Amino acid sequence: MAFELPTLPFSTTALAGAGMCQETLELHHGKHHQAYVTALNGFVESKPELQGKSLEEIVLFANGKADIAPVFNNAGQHWNHIVFWKNMSPTGGKIPGKLEAKIAEDFGSVTAFKDAFKAAATTQFGSGWAWLVQGADGKLKAVKTPNGSNPLATGEGKVLLGIDVWEHSYYLDFRNRRPDYVTNWLDKLANYEYAEAQLG
Ligand code: MN3
């Protein structure tokens, strides 16, 4: 069965007041994410070794194989964006108690968590992602990955939150100011209830 573009969990105008305008969402979801899905489906159609595999299985299968790097890139980006849409909310920015306690335990404070996440997001050179993950040791940490990669591929842990720092994610709203986009995202857009629900 072909992979499909998921429906956004909010309207394309719902995040405008929180710093992500309708045009950003329409282009990012309807054009960029759709293009990854279309490309991935093309690869699956032409490569029997990919058929019958789940999205996660394709990401892991293609990981590190230079000859099918485009498969990894597009499957990774489909996986990453599925997470990204769930990671935002028109009423985001509020950290519920259980997650706040875990953040305080592992980072020292909410401020220290945000600083670590911002550092990961702003030092990712070029396109990529920053993530809040729970590692195999149970501890939360902020990590970054380039281009279409993700913690599923790197084995760095279970994803609680992921922010897209490709320029298409913020250029209309924040121009070249990636640090401002990341700060706003953490304070107003991040769906910490979703993140808390992923805690192991
Ligand atoms: Mn994107």
Side-chain angles (χ1 to χ4, degrees):
M1 207 175 76
F3 292 105
E4 287 179 8
L5 183 70
T7 308
L8 287 175
F10 36 72
S11 79
T12 54
T13 58
L15 305 184
M20 191 172 281
C21 72
Q22 180 178 8
E23 193 180 8
T24 293
L25 278 170
E26 284 176 355
L27 290 169
H28 197 172
H29 177 257
K31 302 293 182 189
H32 290 277
H33 190 175
Q34 179 65 66
Y36 300 129
V37 174
T38 302
L40 175 61
N41 284 332
F43 292 129
V44 173
E45 213 172 283
S46 65
K47 294 180 188 299
E49 67 270 31
L50 302 178
Q51 287 161 15
K53 284 186 163 62
S54 70
L55 180 59
E56 288 76 11
E57 287 167 343
I58 291 177
V59 170
L60 293 172
F61 175 80
N63 186 26
K65 292 190 174 79
D67 57 326
I68 53 168
V71 173
F72 177 77
N73 292 338
N74 286 281
Q77 281 292 71
H78 182 33
W79 192 91
N80 294 351
H81 287 83
I82 291 170
V83 172
F84 186 59
W85 308 131
K86 290 181 191 164
N87 272 181
M88 294 188 290
S89 161
T91 56
K94 300 172 198 75
I95 306 180
K98 187 179 153 196
L99 179 61
E100 190 177 4
K102 180 68 176 153
I103 284 173
E105 190 184 317
D106 293 346
F107 288 96
S109 67
V110 168
T111 303
F113 149 65
K114 288 185 174 179
D115 287 347
F117 191 89
K118 278 179 216 169
T122 54
T123 61
Q124 171 51 44
F125 185 75
S127 297
W129 295 75
W131 309 90
L132 173 64
V133 300
Q134 185 170 26
D137 60 359
K139 291 208 186 318
L140 301 185
K141 56 185 173 176
V143 299
K144 60 187 173 183
T145 56
N147 302 315
S149 191
N150 55 46
L152 174 68
T154 62
E156 285 173 300
K158 184 166 198 241
V159 167
L160 276 64
L161 280 179
I163 184 172
D164 189 342
V165 295
W166 285 57
E167 287 184 347
H168 64 230
S169 192
Y170 61 88
Y171 228 80
L172 294 177
D173 298 294
F174 293 92
R175 299 296 170 182
N176 59 316
R177 294 175 286 115
R178 189 192 289 188
D180 292 349
Y181 157 68
V182 178
T183 298
N184 179 79
W185 194 88
L186 285 168
D187 292 345
K188 294 187 178 168
L189 285 167
N191 185 347
Y192 293 104
E193 276 146 37
Y194 171 86
E196 184 180 87
Q198 311 311 310
L199 274 176

